[in-house]
Amino acid sequence: DANDYVGKGLSGGRIVVRPSPDAPEGFVPADNIIAGNVLLYGATAGEAFFNGLVGERFAVRNSGATAVVEGVGDHGCEYMTGGRVVVLGPTGRNFGAGMSGGVAFVLDPDGSFPSRVNFEMLSLEVPTPEELDEVEGLVRSHVEHTGSPLGADLLADWAERSTAFVKVMPNDLRRVLDAVALAEAEGLDVVETIMASSQK
């Protein structure tokens, strides 16, 4: 339904890509490609909801946009420096290559996602309850704007199925957040503590 580079340079607003209301009965959006490659390239703000699968290099160089998608091809979140991405379906290989900022949450019910991750600059974590609340809100927005059956099914059994989310966290961002938490806990100057941490 959409081609390559949807949302390139997005700097605000909202993009919604969903199947035509004239799609045949029984059409399953989560099993079909809805948009092409290099979506949200260099986006800095705004939000995007894709009711279906998309191609390669999703959210490449995203620095601030928020997105929900139902599956991505190879190199998802490549060189991402900011923003939030929620993936409700499969991913291709090399996920997170060069990712230095931002956070992604990937639904991984069968535990296969780590085999497709590029761990050079990131780690996988278990989302906190507060983060899962944030993800739930994004999935609700996704369903509201797209009518996603996949999202609606997930929300209907959220307490059980949300435990399958994996958090993709860049190592540099984790170090900064840990330094901020340490500084605040000890009453230290946050900037000085971060600078000292970056020298290690």
Side-chain angles (χ1 to χ4, degrees):
D1 291 76
N3 223 320
D4 298 345
Y5 290 102
V6 172
K8 179 181 180 182
L10 180 70
S11 58
R14 177 186 302 128
I15 293 174
V16 177
V17 184
R18 58 188 179 193
S20 166
D22 298 326
E25 185 176 348
F27 181 83
V28 181
D31 293 339
N32 289 274
I33 296 171
I34 191 75
N37 302 311
V38 203
L39 310 179
L40 302 177
Y41 176 83
T44 61
E47 54 187 13
F49 301 98
F50 296 89
N51 184 197
L53 304 172
V54 301
E56 297 183 358
R57 294 193 157 90
F58 181 78
V60 60
R61 299 194 184 279
N62 175 33
S63 65
T66 298
V68 181
V69 63
E70 302 188 354
V72 302
D74 295 344
H75 317 295
C77 298
E78 186 179 39
Y79 301 117
M80 197 165 103
T81 62
R84 290 284 190 274
V85 169
V86 176
V87 183
L88 303 181
T91 71
R93 63 185 177 85
N94 203 37
F95 190 95
M99 181 178 173
S100 62
V103 177
F105 298 93
V106 178
L107 191 63
D108 183 31
D110 63 3
S112 65
F113 176 58
S115 68
R116 297 186 293 279
V117 172
N118 184 321
F119 284 101
E120 184 176 354
M121 296 179 64
L122 54 80
S123 301
L124 301 182
E125 301 180 0
V126 176
T128 66
E130 294 76 17
E131 288 168 336
L132 286 178
D133 287 345
E134 176 189 359
V135 173
E136 182 180 14
L138 292 173
V139 175
R140 289 192 182 282
S141 293
H142 180 63
V143 173
E144 175 187 351
H145 294 302
T146 70
S148 167
L150 177 66
D153 287 348
L154 176 60
L155 291 172
D157 192 20
W158 182 258
E160 178 70 24
R161 295 181 60 192
S162 64
T163 60
F165 274 104
V166 176
K167 178 183 176 182
V168 181
M169 169 61 76
N171 296 330
D172 286 345
L173 178 58
R174 169 51 62 206
R175 280 192 287 270
V176 170
L177 294 176
D178 289 346
V180 168
L182 175 65
E184 290 176 344
E186 298 185 0
L188 302 173
D189 182 276
V190 172
V191 175
E192 288 183 3
T193 304
I194 292 174
M195 295 301 291
S197 175
S198 68
Q199 301 301 318
K200 294 179 181 178

